[in-house]
Amino acid sequence: MRKLTDILEERISAAMGAVIGKNAPALVRPAADAKFGDYQANGMMAAAKQVKTNPRQLAENVVAAMEIADICEPPEVAGPGFINLRLKDSFLAERLLGIYRDAERLGVDKAETPKIVVVDYSAPNIAKQMHVGHLRSTIIGDCIARLYDFAGHTVIRQNHIGDWGTQFGMLIAYMKAQYPHLLDHPASAQIADLEAFYQNAKQLSDDNESFAKQARQEVVQLHNHYPETMAIWKQIVDQSRQHYQPIYESLNITLTADDERGESFYADQLADVVAELKVKGLAVESDGAVCVFPEGFKNKDGQPLPFIIQKSDGAFLYATTDLAALRFRVQDLKAETVIYVTDARQALHFQMLFAAAKMAGWVDERITLEHVTFGTMLGADGKPFKTRTGGTVKLKDLLDEAVERAKAVVEEKNPDLPAEQKAQIARAVGVGAVKYADYANNRNSDYVFSFDRMLSLDGNTAPYMQYAYARIKSIQRKAAGKEVDIQNELNGLSALLLTEPAEKDLAKLLVRYDQAIAAATEEYRPNYLTSYLYDLAQAFSRFYTACPVLTAQAPHRPTRLLLCDLTARTIRHGLSELLGIEVLDQM
RNA sequence: GUCCCCGUAGCUCAACGGAUAGAGCGUUGGCCUCCGGAGCCAAAGGUUAGAGGUUCGAAUCCUCUCGGGGACGCCA
């Protein structure tokens, strides 16, 4: 189904064209306040200014000229020249039935021009535990990937894992020492504690010169692809994956091992990247390092700022790897849009990366490059989120605690459920709360992390959303006991009876799901989606309080059953498909 | 020093250039013979850090000031 705002925009703009003799946007938006109706057209004031006429008069003329009687009640002109639109009950009903029939997509159209979209997110470091610093990239990136998937684009997820570099020398040397029979019995190696493994290797490397020397040799052998060294390296990567893949699973993240394209993948392309940039005259030597100087960037002395792609000792850097990756994504993956989800501190790096890639001619104006940034997670003290002792908070510990706290709540509210079900609810609520709290914030703001708030049963939280869903499911379960056959009442339903304000408010939100998704997708802003879902859940709660469903009189009941069904499906879709947060039939 | 992000109710946060800036928490007061009260209704609470400017219209765009965070040559 076409987006309602698009239809209204088109109809009103056409009328404006007829009245003023030139094109001007109608600027249709959901109404700022219910008393102004359901939608409003804001474009009259600007258009009137342009053609030097009275905006209210223009609005009146446009209202007279536009044809929307099939959608809206007679429009009203208000204030300085707003056109206020109120949906007809008949249109609303038709729209709801259309959404009901479109079980797959809930009436949300795909993008008109599907594109190949690369989304680069998560990027954990091999041989280190995932910590809270990885959380936002992982979940925001995953939501963006899901949104683009749903819009019908070809999404290529890229997990740019940190699986290469000099630190692997000491890791490989340490692995050899720990598991001397590794090559004969690869399965014998099990790194129980990644963090300890890394720390021990580093300690040894710092303290023991002969070990450090061996580590440096391993780096050389790694770069030269010695089979034995490569085998051990692969073991370390595989072992690390055993630690982070379960975290993706518990977070309900769509990344798989197939999406991994780490730094190692580009290792052999780096020399060529530098060579190509040199040949093109873009890379020059400066203080012994090879640099690109993109236009418009200055350092603290006002001198051109270098984008260093090769150190004076000959080693490559992450700038080089990122250039290789970008070239690969455009030339081999045929990406038309590349989205990087990393924290805001890397903004300058990506600006320079994009500029350099454009200078090299790898990226032209048909290709969209986006750096989707986000702020820092803060503790209750307003400082970056740390453990009490000042250490980094491991993601696993964070999620465990959230689930633990959720479990206590379930235990209190619903002690009689089977233990296994309580555990499952606790997982869905705990992990959902962590994710939802992140999504609900404007990603650019720093935000204060609080278990108490995110697990609160009131307010814009995962538990509130999950509760709204569970209540609908409860109604549907109870239907059978009251001899209400939902399928029978909904099948072949061809008209609705929307009488109560709470019914109409809920209906009007249900037909706006597409608009919320579009806004979230265009701006890479999951909080537009959570905010819509919260409005929807609230509207449902009001409806639930005001309008009995199962005991309603015959002409009302099918409509209310439909509203319940669509609300449940919309919440389920938004939460589960787009945000990766589980819904529960009972909690 | 230059650049980037942020500054909105007591607290945590919304607001896709539009009308009287919205939620939740907290505070105060209502609502359970009825589908899950993990709910609903209502009240109080604001010079959108400040000053200019652009615009028919600014929390939003521009300039400056103040405050917080961050980036700025061989880490990622």
Side-chain angles (χ1 to χ4, degrees), chain A residues 120-279:
Chain A
D120 176 328
Y121 66 106
S122 193
N125 295 318
I126 291 301
K128 283 194 196 170
Q129 291 263 14
M130 282 185 90
H131 56 82
V132 290
H134 298 110
L135 180 67
R136 304 203 77 186
S137 172
T138 302
I139 71 175
I140 293 169
D142 203 53
C143 176
I144 291 170
R146 287 166 181 268
L147 285 168
Y148 274 78
D149 258 341
F150 183 62
H153 299 290
T154 300
V155 175
I156 305 175
R157 291 164 173 77
Q158 294 283 277
N159 193 358
H160 195 84
I161 58 175
D163 63 356
W164 205 250
T166 49
Q167 79 274 23
F168 274 88
M170 69 184 191
L171 292 171
I172 291 166
Y174 186 68
M175 191 80 172
K176 275 187 173 172
Q178 285 281 297
Y179 302 99
H181 305 299
L182 178 69
L183 292 171
D184 304 329
H185 309 285
S188 68
Q190 292 286 330
I191 306 178
D193 185 340
L194 263 188
E195 207 64 14
F197 182 86
Y198 185 90
Q199 297 298 341
N200 293 343
K202 191 165 187 331
Q203 193 69 51
L204 206 50
S205 173
D206 289 347
D207 297 349
N208 185 325
E209 182 46 38
S210 79
F211 179 85
K213 191 177 166 191
Q214 197 201 335
R216 285 192 293 274
Q217 272 173 11
E218 297 292 355
V219 174
V220 174
Q221 296 189 351
L222 189 65
H223 286 168
N224 291 317
H225 301 279
Y226 271 47
E228 191 179 298
T229 304
M230 289 298 285
I232 296 168
W233 167 79
K234 192 170 176 307
Q235 271 293 318
I236 295 173
V237 175
D238 288 346
Q239 284 289 309
S240 299
R241 189 178 302 118
Q242 308 284 323
H243 286 83
Y244 64 75
Q245 196 63 41
I247 291 181
Y248 287 153
E249 274 152 33
S250 63
L251 275 173
N252 208 350
I253 294 302
T254 54
L255 285 170
T256 67
D258 290 343
D259 301 317
E260 281 176 21
R261 188 110 52 185
E263 294 169 350
S264 62
F265 178 81
Y266 304 102
D268 295 334
Q269 303 170 28
L270 303 182
D272 184 62
V273 164
V274 174
E276 183 177 341
L277 291 170
K278 276 184 176 166
V279 167

Side-chain angles (χ1 to χ4, degrees), chain A residues 5 68 81 121 146 195 307 341 380 409 439 445 450 458 476 519 528 562 573-574:
Chain A
T5 41
I68 52 167
Y121 66 106
R146 287 166 181 268
E195 207 64 14
F307 192 55
V341 187
V409 179
Y439 285 141
S445 316
S450 160
D458 311 295
Q476 294 173 340
Y528 286 159
L562 183 91
H573 186 268

Side-chain angles (χ1 to χ4, degrees), chain A residues 401-402 405-406 409 429-430 433 450-457 461 463:
Chain A
E401 182 166 354
R405 286 170 179 247
V409 179
V429 171
S450 160
F451 280 120
D452 288 337
R453 244 194 339 270
M454 68 179 61
L455 284 164
S456 164
L457 312 158
T461 65

Side-chain angles (χ1 to χ4, degrees), chain A residues 520-535:
Chain A
T521 308
E522 279 159 27
E523 307 277 323
Y524 313 102
R525 291 275 296 273
N527 71 306
Y528 286 159
L529 190 55
T530 56
S531 144
Y532 166 83
L533 291 171
Y534 181 53
D535 288 346

Side-chain angles (χ1 to χ4, degrees), chain A residues 294-400:
Chain A
E295 212 174 306
F297 296 91
K298 287 180 184 151
N299 70 7
K300 41 190 141 181
D301 304 319
Q303 300 301 308
L305 187 64
F307 192 55
I308 302 176
I309 58 175
Q310 188 168 20
K311 300 190 338 187
S312 49
D313 67 2
F316 303 112
L317 303 92
Y318 79 129
T320 332
T321 308
D322 276 347
L323 278 168
L326 182 47
R327 187 177 69 170
F328 173 80
R329 289 163 185 183
V330 170
Q331 294 182 353
D332 293 67
L333 299 179
K334 310 290 181 200
E336 296 166 278
T337 299
V338 187
I339 300 167
Y340 293 84
V341 187
T342 82
D343 69 281
R345 287 175 304 191
Q346 297 187 50
L348 181 61
H349 167 72
F350 282 106
Q351 281 176 31
M352 297 186 81
L353 172 71
F354 296 168
K358 284 170 189 167
M359 288 165 72
W362 298 336
V363 170
D364 62 28
E365 60 284 351
R366 287 166 304 188
I367 293 173
T368 306
L369 301 178
E370 297 280 1
H371 179 208
V372 174
T373 57
F374 50 83
T376 312
M377 270 171 66
L378 307 175
D381 57 359
K383 292 180 177 152
F385 192 60
K386 292 273 170 64
T387 60
R388 278 180 211 85
T389 53
T392 312
V393 179
K394 295 186 180 78
L395 212 36
K396 185 175 185 306
D397 296 344
L398 184 88
L399 295 175
D400 286 350

Side-chain angles (χ1 to χ4, degrees), chain A residues 23-72:
Chain A
N23 289 330
L27 302 177
V28 174
R29 306 278 184 270
D33 190 310
K35 69 177 177 247
F36 301 133
D38 303 323
Y39 293 86
Q40 59 184 55
N42 297 336
M44 303 316 126
M45 286 79 83
K49 181 77 182 175
Q50 223 182 67
V51 299
K52 296 189 169 56
T53 182
N54 178 301
R56 279 198 69 106
Q57 186 56 51
L58 171 64
E60 297 288 357
N61 294 344
V62 169
V63 165
M66 66 197 198
E67 295 171 18
I68 52 167
D70 54 328
I71 300 175
C72 302

Side-chain angles (χ1 to χ4, degrees), chain A residues 492-551:
Chain A
L493 190 60
S494 60
L496 302 181
L497 184 62
L498 295 164
T499 55
E500 298 301 311
E503 293 175 312
K504 293 188 190 189
D505 290 347
L506 180 56
K508 285 166 183 174
L509 271 168
L510 286 168
V511 303
R512 261 175 48 192
Y513 187 43
D514 52 6
Q515 208 265 340
I517 290 178
T521 308
E522 279 159 27
E523 307 277 323
Y524 313 102
R525 291 275 296 273
N527 71 306
Y528 286 159
L529 190 55
T530 56
S531 144
Y532 166 83
L533 291 171
Y534 181 53
D535 288 346
L536 181 66
Q538 284 190 121
F540 176 78
S541 281
R542 286 184 206 110
F543 160 82
Y544 181 90
T545 306
C547 306
V549 177
L550 297 176
T551 57

